Amino acid sequence: MHMSAQPAHHASVAAASTKSFEQALAGATLKRVEAKEFVFAEGDAASHVYRVETGAVALFKVLIDGRRQIVGFAYPGDLVGLGAEGEHMMNAQAIKPTRLRCLPISGLHRSVAQDPTLYFQLYQAVARELASARDLMLTTGQRTATERVVSFLLALSRRNARTGRDPAMLELPMTRSDIGDFLGLTIETVSRTFTKLRAMGLIELVHSSEVKLIDIDALKSLADGEDRDQ
Amino acid sequence: MHMSAQPAHHASVAAASTKSFEQALAGATLKRVEAKEFVFAEGDAASHVYRVETGAVALFKVLIDGRRQIVGFAYPGDLVGLGAEGEHMMNAQAIKPTRLRCLPISGLHRSVAQDPTLYFQLYQAVARELASARDLMLTTGQRTATERVVSFLLALSRRNARTGRDPAMLELPMTRSDIGDFLGLTIETVSRTFTKLRAMGLIELVHSSEVKLIDIDALKSLADGEDRDQ
DNA sequence: CGGAACATTGACCCATGTCAAGTGTCGTGG
DNA sequence: CCACGACACTTGACATGGGTCAATGTTCCG
């Protein structure tokens, strides 16, 4: 039987919270960025790793013709910027006012001297991120628009459950455009799908950025083709 | 300006070849698997990491209704099975007769005692794999069928160039179905796209599993929307 | 109050999926 | 060596999900 692992779609290295890691972060400076401000861009020197304290950040790549793929959203507790060798290979942009703790990579290497398992933790953190990336690939590669949107909502719901919030009431800090670029859909399709789910009585749009899940079980079965272990 | 990094699409931890790593692998047993035989399946205990010596392996996840997403192919020199915590979260299946070097995870942890940087190497290996996974997301999320197939061919071409083989003559060890499940397309669309590229004089199908690239520059511009730095 | 940005809705169309023949190609056994 | 069957691949005809283009609503902030 599978008790398998990650629920999917929290694509930014869920917090590796251990003593040595917390210590490394403790001295880190705090940085505020406004909505739409970049934390770093593709090609920038990878000087820091950041942990989101409040707010939310979108991680994305762009094609030369402007098409954009968001590869993940980072919420409070998530790390961004890991796994970059020398320079960043993607962009990180705040999607609302955000506070970040900035950890210089050089300092990180120094911390390793005190705690050699730190690399193991980084390894695990990146491995988790890899797992999410692959789950997202499954979603964008093989699923219909409805399945994608529902999976996305359920992933947010699970995140809420994990962090002690109401799993039926979702805040969507990102725009429809962001959701579309994450799921490989257009704004219009995302919007139509929300409308359809509302018409089916499965969700309620309290506000365009606030969704109430009415019938989670029905949503789960809609998301199907769901990877094992919900 | 970007000198950025990875060419994309070699989704299985390109070989981390260092002394300590080679030593760890040296004592490893060799295993032969036939085409279609599983190396491991989702849910299996993650007991070993494997390095492909000859042959090729497909890594994939399946949805309950049978849809399949191949997240990468592993060729000689590539590692498979890294990043699994406890149990594997995907399947690894040989796509032709394959020889693998099997490295017990327990032994790997022992080797770390001798060389603490080993974890750093593993971290880097997984980070590279993550970069490929994200490149693939960009491809399957945002591109047309033609762009996907051409990107795929060019990635194989680059791999050939990197390993000292003819970058214009490609061996496709995988079936059309595998390619489709990798790129998020159907068999028929993959086949039609090959036919179209042949009709355009850009490729030649020596054999259904052997492709000759005739006009690589034209292919590159077709692949466009290509991520920066070719 | 006005305007910009975001979201929704509608009409239409096309790329790709689906279904259904056909056509190699390879390996096996007679 | 040939015949057969099993697959894999190709090709065609058709259907449709979701993209595109366009208009309208809504929200929020100055």
Side-chain angles (χ1 to χ4, degrees):
Chain A
M1 254 289 79
H2 305 131
M3 264 296 299
S4 192
Q6 287 300 3
H9 297 344
H10 49 109
S12 48
V13 188
S17 307
T18 63
K19 256 173 293 173
S20 51
F21 205 82
E22 285 303 321
Q23 280 171 16
L25 279 165
T29 62
L30 205 58
K31 181 180 185 178
R32 287 166 182 282
V33 295
E34 293 308 312
K36 305 197 174 174
E37 195 176 329
F38 277 77
V39 179
F40 55 78
E42 194 173 343
D44 284 359
S47 57
H48 294 75
V49 169
Y50 305 87
R51 188 174 69 173
V52 178
E53 298 298 320
T54 64
V57 173
L59 301 164
F60 63 94
K61 294 192 157 216
V62 295
L63 297 175
I64 53 182
D65 60 7
R67 283 173 290 179
R68 183 177 70 144
Q69 174 72 45
I70 292 185
V71 299
F73 296 105
Y75 306 101
D78 290 339
L79 296 177
V80 298
L82 262 187
E85 213 64 68
E87 61 179 37
H88 288 293
M89 297 195 321
M90 68 181 65
N91 309 279
Q93 190 179 20
I95 55 184
K96 54 155 130 174
T98 296
R99 275 180 302 156
L100 300 156
R101 216 163 268 289
C102 306
L103 182 63
I105 300 236
S106 56
L108 203 150
H109 279 82
R110 246 181 280 119
S111 302
V112 170
Q114 299 167 359
D115 182 357
T117 72
L118 197 58
Y119 272 139
F120 181 59
Q121 293 171 43
L122 292 180
Y123 161 74
Q124 289 185 309
V126 177
R128 268 194 300 273
E129 195 161 357
L130 179 59
S132 323
R134 283 174 168 164
D135 278 336
L136 182 57
M137 275 171 55
L138 197 63
T139 297
T140 59
Q142 304 297 138
R143 289 160 127 163
T144 65
T146 305
E147 287 172 340
R148 293 182 203 199
V149 172
V150 172
S151 297
F152 174 69
L153 293 177
L154 290 175
L156 287 178
S157 171
R158 273 184 252 113
R159 159 170 285 270
N160 270 8
R162 227 183 312 131
T163 58
R165 284 211 270 290
D166 184 352
M169 192 58 96
L170 311 180
E171 249 277 352
L172 306 180
M174 68 295 286
T175 66
R176 296 287 183 269
S177 173
D178 291 333
I179 298 174
D181 288 348
F182 183 55
L183 298 175
L185 300 170
T186 59
I187 303 179
E188 293 94 329
T189 301
V190 173
S191 184
R192 275 188 260 268
T193 305
F194 276 124
T195 303
K196 190 178 85 178
L197 293 173
R198 193 186 47 190
M200 292 165 76
L202 303 184
I203 68 173
E204 214 168 276
L205 285 164
V206 181
H207 185 70
S208 78
S209 67
E210 199 174 353
V211 179
K212 185 173 179 185
L213 306 187
I214 306 293
D215 187 343
I216 294 192
D217 288 338
L219 288 169
K220 278 182 179 162
S221 65
L222 257 191
D224 254 309
E226 180 73 40
D227 196 14
R228 298 157 165 60
D229 57 75
Q230 352 272 54
Chain B
M1 256 290 82
H2 304 132
M3 267 292 304
S4 189
Q6 287 300 1
H9 296 347
H10 50 109
S12 46
V13 188
S17 306
T18 62
K19 257 174 291 175
S20 52
F21 206 82
E22 286 302 321
Q23 281 171 16
L25 278 165
T29 62
L30 206 57
K31 182 179 183 177
R32 287 166 181 282
V33 295
E34 293 307 313
K36 304 199 172 175
E37 197 176 326
F38 278 76
V39 179
F40 55 78
E42 193 173 342
D44 285 359
S47 57
H48 293 74
V49 169
Y50 305 86
R51 188 175 68 173
V52 178
E53 298 297 320
T54 64
V57 173
L59 301 164
F60 62 95
K61 294 193 157 219
V62 295
L63 298 174
I64 53 183
D65 60 7
R67 282 172 290 179
R68 185 177 68 144
Q69 175 72 45
I70 293 184
V71 299
F73 296 105
Y75 305 100
D78 290 339
L79 296 176
V80 297
L82 262 188
E85 213 65 67
E87 60 181 35
H88 288 292
M89 295 194 323
M90 69 182 64
N91 308 279
Q93 190 178 21
I95 55 183
K96 54 155 131 175
T98 296
R99 274 181 303 159
L100 301 156
R101 215 163 271 287
C102 308
L103 183 63
I105 302 240
S106 56
L108 202 151
H109 279 81
R110 247 180 281 120
S111 303
V112 172
Q114 299 169 357
D115 181 358
T117 72
L118 198 58
Y119 272 138
F120 181 59
Q121 293 171 44
L122 292 180
Y123 161 73
Q124 289 184 309
V126 177
R128 268 194 300 271
E129 196 161 357
L130 179 60
S132 320
R134 283 173 168 163
D135 279 335
L136 182 58
M137 275 170 55
L138 198 64
T139 297
T140 59
Q142 305 297 134
R143 288 157 124 160
T144 66
T146 305
E147 288 172 340
R148 293 182 202 200
V149 171
V150 172
S151 297
F152 175 68
L153 293 177
L154 290 175
L156 287 178
S157 172
R158 272 183 252 116
R159 159 171 284 271
N160 270 7
R162 227 184 311 132
T163 59
R165 284 212 270 291
D166 183 351
M169 191 59 97
L170 311 179
E171 250 275 353
L172 306 179
M174 69 295 286
T175 66
R176 296 288 184 269
S177 173
D178 291 333
I179 297 173
D181 288 348
F182 183 55
L183 298 176
L185 301 170
T186 59
I187 302 179
E188 294 93 328
T189 300
V190 173
S191 185
R192 275 189 259 269
T193 306
F194 276 123
T195 302
K196 190 178 87 179
L197 294 173
R198 193 187 44 189
M200 293 165 77
L202 303 183
I203 67 172
E204 214 168 276
L205 286 163
V206 182
H207 185 70
S208 78
S209 67
E210 200 175 353
V211 178
K212 186 173 178 183
L213 306 188
I214 304 294
D215 188 343
I216 294 192
D217 288 338
L219 289 169
K220 278 181 180 162
S221 66
L222 257 190
D224 254 308
E226 180 74 38
D227 197 13
R228 298 153 166 62
D229 57 77
Q230 348 272 56

